[in-house]
Each structure stands twice: as C-alpha cells, then as structure tokens.
Amino acid sequence: MKLTQHLSEATDTIVSLEILPPTKGKSIESIYNHLDPLMEFKPAFINVTYHRAEQVFRKRTDGNFERVEIRKRPGTVGICAALMNKYKVEAIPHLICGGFSKEETENALIDLDFLGIKNVLALRGDAAANEKFFNPHPNGHRYAEDLVKQIVTLNKGHYMEEDIIDGAKTDFCIGVAGYPEKHFEAPNMDTDIYYLKRKIDLGADYVTTQLFYNNEHYYSYINKCREHGIHVPILPGLKPLTNKKQLTIIPRTFNVEVPVELCNEMLKAKTDADCEQVGTEWLLHQCRDLLKNKVPILHFYTLGKPSVIYNVLKQLF
Ligand code: FAD
C-alpha cells in the first residue's frame, strides 16, 4: 500500500523503521535478528537505505596499485523483497542519484515495480568518499528533484527509449528528504525549503526528515514548510543517541544540534548502560511530545541500537 494511503486510513500514529543493508559478507540473518523483536510493534513500513559504491586502491600482483569500485553495502532491493516476503510489511527502498545513470535508475525502478514495491524515497546521496563535492554520474541526476521527475515520468508510462509506446505505468508513491536544521550545503533555511517545494511540486508525495533531538526544530520546520505552501505529510526521523562518541560524530555527520541538556546528561553518564539509559529517556520524551502533537508516524532510524528503540516502543504502545 502507498504510504500516503496508509496515512489517510490510519486512525492513530503509526510506526516505521529504517535499516541499513548489512556489510558485504554478512548474511540476511543479521537483518532478521535486528528486526524480529521490533516486529512486535507492527511497523507499517521498513525503509532500506542505499549506499553508493566507493573507490579504493588495491595492490596488484606487480606491486602497483589500481583504483577499483566496491559497494560495501549492496542488497537494498533484495532485502526489500525478503522483508515483504517474511514479515508481510511494506518495504521502502531508498534510491540515490549518486553513481547512477538515468538508465540504471530506470531499470532499478522496473525491478521495484515488478516486485510490487509501491513506495520509494528519492534522494541525491552524498559526495563519494574520495570527493569533496557531490558530482553526478555523467548520464545521471544532479539533484533529487531530477530523480523525482524521472519517477513521475515512469508513473505516466514514459520510458527513456522513445520507441516504447503505451508503456506500462508504474505507480510509485514518492518520498523525499527534508532537513529541520537545514541541509548542510543550503545557504539558508528558506532556500532549502524553496528546493524542497520544487520536489513536491514535481510530484513527491511526502517528506521524511533528517534526525533531530530537539522537537522544536521539527515543529518550526513544519510551520515554515506550510508557510511556503508545502502541505504533504512531513514524517519525523528519530534516532537515539547512545554513547559519548556520538556527541561529536552525529552533529558532524548529520548537521544537527545536540541540545545542552542531553549533552550534559550524556557526559555525566558513567557506564555504557548509563549512556543507553540517557538516550532511551531522551527518545521517549521526544516521542511522547510528538504523540501529544499528533504526528502521523514515528519513523525510527534503528541503525546499531534496536534494543533502545524496542524499550522506547514498549513504553509507548
Ligand atoms: P537534494 O534535494 O538534491 O538537495 C541537496 C542540496 O541541494 C540541498 O542543499 C538543497 O537545498 C540543494 N538543492 C536542491 N535542488 C536544487 C536545485 N535545483 N538547484 C540548486 N540547489 C538545489 N543518503 C544515501 O546515500 N543513502 C540513503 O539511503 C539515504 N537516506 C536518507 C534518508 C533520509 C530521510 C535523509 C534525510 C537523508 C538520507 N540520505 C541518504 C542522505 C542524503 O542523500 C544527503 O543528505 C544528501 O546530501 C542530500 O540529499 P537530498 O535528497 O536531500 O538532495
């Protein structure tokens, strides 16, 4: 079912989860072990992230080095199919522009359509590990809005090969990313929201936000988006902070602020278990406040610490 349809039929806040494919060499059992306990809370959707290939140097037998492309976390599409089959849940694959030609994207969309996948999250992706700025594939897309356009075109049955007449129409519900604390490259919030609106005007159906630890950022973002004429659902992305290292890693990686109170509590924590307890309580407090404000979904980034999400959900529902 399309996410937007699910939301319009839901009578209460629903739960969705996000996972990363395992690193190459690990089995899908690691995903099942991660998700099995969380399925108790009947998530309506499970998002599966996409990870672009990285370029690394490998030593050849003649002693010289060669540059090769490796994908450390393949399997997004396969995992989506496996989750739908095992848990009877809607899977939402992420699609990124980085590293893909338009034709590869079209072929990926055809695979997803054949698998019965009804939702995709359309993203630009970040710069490759060896690059400072995002560079699109020579035959690919520069911005997520171009990917949205391609999906909408396929939803109308128009394929890249012009001699395909009466092409089968796909029917994807399209999500895009939004940033309550601004995307790190955007010069200001208004400009960032202006580009978000373009993605919506081109056909995106909903927005999932970057994680945040201060709900006021989310509420203020919703207000600004509404003022800019964006009226689609904006789903809050939530991730627990569970150790002291994350106090510096998370702001740098996601361009988000860690509130003083959370930071102080985390610094006071003596053991790993104390840190997890601080993260659990903060997330619980965030979720209770979001539920009070009648958010349509609580979307959890489960990466790494499913037990914390489990404990939070157990206390909420
Ligand atoms: P865009 O919407 O293209 O925006 C990128 C920047 O360009 C912004 O600063 C925007 O303001 C600006 N901009 C947009 N359009 C234009 C335009 N036409 N002209 C000029 N400027 C413009 N990354 C992954 O690699 N894999 C994932 O699975 C993944 N999942 C994510 C899930 C969520 C919910 C979120 C919030 C992010 C995710 N990311 C993922 C990270 C994301 O790819 C990066 O944040 C990336 O830097 C931006 O992606 P975007 O889709 O927001 O890009």
Side-chain angles (χ1 to χ4, degrees), residues 15-30:
V15 169
S16 68
L17 306 173
E18 182 164 318
I19 57 162
L20 270 72
T23 46
K24 196 181 269 188
K26 287 205 177 127
S27 92
I28 197 161
E29 288 304 321
S30 61

mmCIF file of all heavy atoms in Angstrom, residues 15-30:
data_model
loop_
_atom_site.group_PDB
_atom_site.id
_atom_site.type_symbol
_atom_site.label_atom_id
_atom_site.label_comp_id
_atom_site.label_asym_id
_atom_site.label_seq_id
_atom_site.Cartn_x
_atom_site.Cartn_y
_atom_site.Cartn_z
ATOM 1 N N VAL A 15 3.993 3.394 13.243
ATOM 2 C CA VAL A 15 5.444 3.269 13.452
ATOM 3 C C VAL A 15 6.088 2.812 12.155
ATOM 4 O O VAL A 15 5.540 1.969 11.441
ATOM 5 C CB VAL A 15 5.706 2.202 14.553
ATOM 6 C CG1 VAL A 15 7.178 1.840 14.634
ATOM 7 C CG2 VAL A 15 5.207 2.707 15.898
ATOM 8 N N SER A 16 7.224 3.405 11.821
ATOM 9 C CA SER A 16 8.013 2.851 10.707
ATOM 10 C C SER A 16 9.474 2.795 11.131
ATOM 11 O O SER A 16 9.899 3.503 12.051
ATOM 12 C CB SER A 16 7.809 3.655 9.422
ATOM 13 O OG SER A 16 8.359 4.934 9.533
ATOM 14 N N LEU A 17 10.216 1.923 10.475
ATOM 15 C CA LEU A 17 11.609 1.660 10.856
ATOM 16 C C LEU A 17 12.518 1.855 9.658
ATOM 17 O O LEU A 17 12.071 1.757 8.511
ATOM 18 C CB LEU A 17 11.759 0.206 11.332
ATOM 19 C CG LEU A 17 10.825 -0.259 12.455
ATOM 20 C CD1 LEU A 17 10.998 -1.758 12.681
ATOM 21 C CD2 LEU A 17 11.111 0.506 13.747
ATOM 22 N N GLU A 18 13.767 2.119 9.936
ATOM 23 C CA GLU A 18 14.737 2.219 8.834
ATOM 24 C C GLU A 18 15.965 1.376 9.167
ATOM 25 O O GLU A 18 16.470 1.431 10.280
ATOM 26 C CB GLU A 18 15.132 3.687 8.654
ATOM 27 C CG GLU A 18 16.092 3.895 7.500
ATOM 28 C CD GLU A 18 16.173 5.347 7.084
ATOM 29 O OE1 GLU A 18 15.132 6.042 7.020
ATOM 30 O OE2 GLU A 18 17.306 5.786 6.819
ATOM 31 N N ILE A 19 16.402 0.598 8.198
ATOM 32 C CA ILE A 19 17.585 -0.248 8.417
ATOM 33 C C ILE A 19 18.602 -0.023 7.306
ATOM 34 O O ILE A 19 18.267 0.477 6.228
ATOM 35 C CB ILE A 19 17.220 -1.753 8.449
ATOM 36 C CG1 ILE A 19 16.514 -2.170 7.145
ATOM 37 C CG2 ILE A 19 16.361 -2.092 9.647
ATOM 38 C CD1 ILE A 19 16.519 -3.660 6.913
ATOM 39 N N LEU A 20 19.832 -0.427 7.571
ATOM 40 C CA LEU A 20 20.895 -0.411 6.559
ATOM 41 C C LEU A 20 21.114 -1.842 6.091
ATOM 42 O O LEU A 20 21.058 -2.762 6.925
ATOM 43 C CB LEU A 20 22.210 0.018 7.192
ATOM 44 C CG LEU A 20 22.617 1.465 7.258
ATOM 45 C CD1 LEU A 20 21.778 2.213 8.262
ATOM 46 C CD2 LEU A 20 24.091 1.556 7.650
ATOM 47 N N PRO A 21 21.418 -2.054 4.816
ATOM 48 C CA PRO A 21 21.807 -3.414 4.420
ATOM 49 C C PRO A 21 23.079 -3.793 5.180
ATOM 50 O O PRO A 21 23.872 -2.916 5.524
ATOM 51 C CB PRO A 21 22.114 -3.278 2.921
ATOM 52 C CG PRO A 21 21.491 -2.000 2.496
ATOM 53 C CD PRO A 21 21.458 -1.107 3.702
ATOM 54 N N PRO A 22 23.271 -5.096 5.461
ATOM 55 C CA PRO A 22 24.499 -5.476 6.173
ATOM 56 C C PRO A 22 25.720 -5.275 5.279
ATOM 57 O O PRO A 22 25.579 -5.230 4.049
ATOM 58 C CB PRO A 22 24.286 -6.970 6.455
ATOM 59 C CG PRO A 22 23.281 -7.423 5.458
ATOM 60 C CD PRO A 22 22.447 -6.240 5.086
ATOM 61 N N THR A 23 26.885 -5.146 5.887
ATOM 62 C CA THR A 23 28.097 -5.032 5.062
ATOM 63 C C THR A 23 28.315 -6.346 4.307
ATOM 64 O O THR A 23 27.921 -7.421 4.793
ATOM 65 C CB THR A 23 29.331 -4.723 5.927
ATOM 66 O OG1 THR A 23 29.318 -5.588 7.050
ATOM 67 C CG2 THR A 23 29.334 -3.270 6.389
ATOM 68 N N LYS A 24 28.922 -6.225 3.135
ATOM 69 C CA LYS A 24 29.118 -7.407 2.271
ATOM 70 C C LYS A 24 29.816 -8.514 3.069
ATOM 71 O O LYS A 24 30.761 -8.245 3.807
ATOM 72 C CB LYS A 24 29.977 -7.015 1.063
ATOM 73 C CG LYS A 24 29.906 -8.020 -0.053
ATOM 74 C CD LYS A 24 30.770 -7.611 -1.213
ATOM 75 C CE LYS A 24 30.021 -6.786 -2.224
ATOM 76 N NZ LYS A 24 30.795 -6.535 -3.450
ATOM 77 N N GLY A 25 29.321 -9.732 2.927
ATOM 78 C CA GLY A 25 29.920 -10.852 3.664
ATOM 79 C C GLY A 25 29.034 -11.303 4.819
ATOM 80 O O GLY A 25 29.142 -12.420 5.297
ATOM 81 N N LYS A 26 28.149 -10.402 5.277
ATOM 82 C CA LYS A 26 27.226 -10.800 6.363
ATOM 83 C C LYS A 26 25.941 -11.335 5.749
ATOM 84 O O LYS A 26 25.551 -10.912 4.656
ATOM 85 C CB LYS A 26 26.883 -9.598 7.225
ATOM 86 C CG LYS A 26 28.012 -9.154 8.114
ATOM 87 C CD LYS A 26 27.457 -8.416 9.319
ATOM 88 C CE LYS A 26 28.579 -8.026 10.242
ATOM 89 N NZ LYS A 26 28.572 -6.603 10.558
ATOM 90 N N SER A 27 25.279 -12.229 6.491
ATOM 91 C CA SER A 27 24.064 -12.820 5.928
ATOM 92 C C SER A 27 22.845 -11.961 6.285
ATOM 93 O O SER A 27 22.910 -11.105 7.170
ATOM 94 C CB SER A 27 23.872 -14.242 6.455
ATOM 95 O OG SER A 27 23.084 -14.216 7.608
ATOM 96 N N ILE A 28 21.731 -12.260 5.610
ATOM 97 C CA ILE A 28 20.498 -11.516 5.867
ATOM 98 C C ILE A 28 19.948 -11.836 7.261
ATOM 99 O O ILE A 28 19.127 -11.104 7.797
ATOM 100 C CB ILE A 28 19.459 -11.777 4.755
ATOM 101 C CG1 ILE A 28 18.366 -10.704 4.808
ATOM 102 C CG2 ILE A 28 18.871 -13.180 4.864
ATOM 103 C CD1 ILE A 28 17.568 -10.553 3.556
ATOM 104 N N GLU A 29 20.477 -12.918 7.865
ATOM 105 C CA GLU A 29 20.033 -13.242 9.239
ATOM 106 C C GLU A 29 20.316 -12.083 10.187
ATOM 107 O O GLU A 29 19.590 -11.859 11.147
ATOM 108 C CB GLU A 29 20.754 -14.504 9.760
ATOM 109 C CG GLU A 29 20.302 -15.810 9.127
ATOM 110 C CD GLU A 29 18.800 -16.060 9.265
ATOM 111 O OE1 GLU A 29 18.231 -15.754 10.327
ATOM 112 O OE2 GLU A 29 18.189 -16.541 8.277
ATOM 113 N N SER A 30 21.395 -11.323 9.889
ATOM 114 C CA SER A 30 21.720 -10.205 10.791
ATOM 115 C C SER A 30 20.591 -9.177 10.758
ATOM 116 O O SER A 30 20.286 -8.526 11.757
ATOM 117 C CB SER A 30 23.068 -9.576 10.428
ATOM 118 O OG SER A 30 23.027 -9.066 9.112
#
